[in-house]
Amino acid sequence: MDLAHTLESAPSGEVIKCIDMHTTGEPTRIVYAGFPPLSGTLLSQRDQARDQYDHLRKRIMLEPRGHYDMYGAILRPTTELVESGEAHIGVLFTHNGGFSTMCGHATIALGRFLVDTHDVTVFPKRNELVVDVVSQTVVVSLHAPCGLVRITVPVKDTADGIKSDPSRAISFLSTPGYAAATNLTISIPPEIRWGELEGRESITLDVSYGGAFYALINMRELGYASTGLRKVDLDSLSQVMKRLKAYLETHPDILAACQHPEDKRLSYLYSIMLVDTNVGHRPDGVAGAETGLCFFADNQIDRSPTGSCVTARMALAHAKGERAVGQRWAYNSIVSNHFQTGAFEAEIVQTGLRVDGGNAPAKDAVVVCVEGRAYYTGTSTFMVEEGDVTSHSGFVMSDMTV
């Protein structure tokens, strides 16, 4: 008996099929079959997934099938931008705490997968992709919850047809990014202060948007000037970030900065990005390099340099007069520094944009081109046996109580 075939023959809707990839060590679990149908605009589909199928998000992301730092992307073949012809396909991004609005590392992985699959039941508009014969690339228009993202994927001819070329970097053009607030002084209450502050009662930070809102804090502001991100005690720093992020999420100045002009559903603090401008692997052809450590969702740590925050950091640097159009910069994570490979390279390619809407004042914005590489790590087919209470909705080990 073929056990694998037997398990995959579970009742319709019970089997979820995925491709696993990583971008600089950060996983992307791409859900390409088995997720229930969703309807309406992409943001409405995001609401439906959160309100009706969050147990499936947990099943896919958390233990025993995943882990606390798993990340996912659920393909959405039909959205309003797909129907209008602006996008080839849509996506919902998932993590340990719910659904995010943008993800750069997953976008890079999706670019490869969407070129490599030729299954029109998975990607109905796959045959609409066109190869640029001069550059040997394909552009995939992806509808993310934050807007339209254009991915350029290098390709090569193989015996099985056009496939992605992993020897060359994938790039994407961001949705418009902008500096939301600069040099905010935030008082730190005594109950959440940490030892490295050494008596200081406030920190200074910036807030910037790159498809999601980030609080950007230099390591010296936290009291880690001597070690920065060269040497990090992740356990200790995670405890600091857990308290600080919960505090910042409800702080009036942060709430005001995180109001997106176009839609209130985009208007929340997604992450804290810790920045060290004194360390970072520097690939050839860049003007400079730095390192970041991203804490997002429910204190989840990004292994990659965080592509959407690269957009936010470039937009912030441009607003401060620190980054010119076309100036190429490398953004590292702790993982890319360790392996001396995997930095995201970026440059501003368009300025003079305005993000406008009825939810908040308009903002001057830029478009950033972000480059990185993603690799396949495996495939997975998930199901739940009758009577399996433990794995039905996934779990987090730290939540277990007697």
Side-chain angles (χ1 to χ4, degrees), residues 230-248:
R230 290 183 184 276
K231 186 177 181 181
V232 179
D233 183 342
L234 284 178
D235 290 337
S236 174
L237 200 54
S238 292
Q239 293 306 309
V240 172
M241 289 300 101
K242 188 171 185 178
R243 298 196 305 271
L244 182 58
K245 185 169 184 285
Y247 172 64
L248 293 180

Side-chain angles (χ1 to χ4, degrees), residues 39-284:
S39 61
T41 67
L42 186 59
L43 283 175
S44 295
Q45 292 183 45
R46 181 173 173 263
D47 293 341
Q48 289 174 49
R50 180 196 63 214
D51 296 341
Q52 300 176 33
Y53 301 111
D54 202 45
H55 65 288
L56 294 181
R57 189 266 308 172
K58 293 176 181 177
R59 183 184 300 173
I60 298 163
M61 292 292 99
L62 304 181
E63 297 183 57
R65 299 170 187 83
H67 54 82
Y68 195 73
D69 293 300
M70 179 56 73
Y71 200 92
I74 304 170
L75 295 180
R76 302 310 313 149
T78 302
T79 75
E80 69 274 27
L81 294 188
V82 174
E83 292 176 353
S84 70
E86 296 174 73
H88 292 117
I89 196 167
V91 65
L92 296 177
F93 297 119
T94 70
H95 47 63
N96 70 9
F99 295 83
S100 54
T101 55
M102 176 54 190
C103 180
H105 91 269
T107 294
I108 291 168
L110 282 165
R112 280 200 71 190
F113 172 76
L114 291 170
V115 166
D116 289 341
T117 183
H118 289 256
D119 187 343
V120 293
T121 64
V122 171
F123 183 11
K125 291 201 170 188
R126 171 60 181 81
N127 293 334
E128 294 184 14
L129 300 183
V130 177
V131 177
D132 183 316
V133 295
V134 176
S135 63
Q136 282 294 287
T137 59
V138 169
V139 174
V140 181
S141 296
L142 180 71
H143 186 187
C146 65
L148 189 64
V149 180
R150 300 194 187 279
I151 316 167
T152 299
V153 184
V155 296
K156 59 183 178 179
D157 289 311
T158 72
D160 298 324
I162 294 295
K163 296 288 185 182
S164 65
D165 180 359
S167 70
R168 294 187 286 157
I170 293 166
S171 66
F172 68 86
L173 295 179
S174 70
T175 55
Y178 61 87
T182 57
N183 301 316
L184 285 179
T185 299
I186 304 293
S187 298
I188 305 298
E191 63 271 18
I192 68 168
R193 291 175 194 162
W194 51 97
E196 288 78 7
L197 275 180
E198 297 181 340
R200 287 193 297 125
E201 298 180 356
S202 65
I203 61 173
T204 299
L205 57 80
D206 302 302
V207 179
S208 195
Y209 178 81
F213 284 99
Y214 293 85
L216 298 152
I217 310 174
N218 195 291
M219 286 295 285
R220 65 174 178 269
E221 281 295 316
L222 299 180
Y224 294 88
S226 60
T227 58
L229 290 175
R230 290 183 184 276
K231 186 177 181 181
V232 179
D233 183 342
L234 284 178
D235 290 337
S236 174
L237 200 54
S238 292
Q239 293 306 309
V240 172
M241 289 300 101
K242 188 171 185 178
R243 298 196 305 271
L244 182 58
K245 185 169 184 285
Y247 172 64
L248 293 180
E249 284 173 337
T250 60
H251 193 285
D253 292 344
I254 302 297
L255 289 173
C258 293
Q259 293 304 307
H260 194 280
E262 293 176 347
D263 200 306
K264 193 166 184 63
R265 290 172 291 185
L266 302 174
S267 303
Y268 63 96
L269 180 66
Y270 176 56
S271 165
I272 294 177
M273 172 62 82
L274 305 182
V275 177
D276 187 343
T277 57
N278 296 319
V279 63
H281 170 62
R282 186 167 175 172
D284 294 336

Side-chain angles (χ1 to χ4, degrees), residues 6-17 33-36 53 55-56 59-60 65 381-388 391-392:
T6 301
L7 293 178
E8 289 186 16
S9 299
S12 176
E14 292 299 313
V15 171
I16 296 175
K17 296 184 178 183
F35 202 86
Y53 301 111
H55 65 288
L56 294 181
R59 183 184 300 173
I60 298 163
R65 299 170 187 83
T381 300
F382 296 128
M383 43 82 69
V384 178
E385 279 195 285
E386 184 178 355
D388 183 4
S391 85
H392 181 271

Side-chain angles (χ1 to χ4, degrees), residues 5 33 111 130 142 197 246 288 304 332 352 366:
H5 179 73
V130 177
L142 180 71
L197 275 180
S304 84
N332 284 276
V366 301

